[in-house]
Amino acid sequence: MPVALNANRPVRSAAAPYLVGQDGKGHWVAVATGGRAGGLFRTRQDAIRYACVETGCRPDDVALAVEPIRFRLS
């Protein structure tokens, strides 16, 4: 499955519906910018794949975070 990720355009803000990056402990995360969906993943590729499936693999809907992502399990 192709990955709709603009890896050449890391973001600092919530411009894309999903952000992929690492949390403060180095875990890979994919999180909806609204904070209502996401997860912890074993690898970067797994996090990207999840975000891609969740967004329908639309271009520019998944972006890499420049800074650590805050992720909480509720």
Side-chain angles (χ1 to χ4, degrees):
M1 171 184 299
V3 174
L5 174 70
N6 191 343
N8 295 323
R9 189 198 67 168
V11 297
R12 291 184 189 277
S13 67
Y18 265 84
L19 292 176
V20 172
Q22 291 180 296
D23 65 8
K25 296 181 181 178
H27 302 113
W28 284 102
V29 299
V31 64
T33 54
R36 298 197 175 248
L40 293 171
F41 298 89
R42 191 173 162 160
T43 66
R44 176 182 170 202
Q45 183 65 26
D46 290 340
I48 292 169
R49 187 176 296 118
Y50 167 81
C52 180
V53 168
E54 289 297 308
T55 61
C57 292
R58 290 182 302 270
D60 296 326
D61 279 357
V62 179
L64 291 176
V66 174
E67 299 173 7
I69 297 173
R70 296 183 73 195
F71 182 76
R72 290 185 332 182
L73 295 175
S74 298

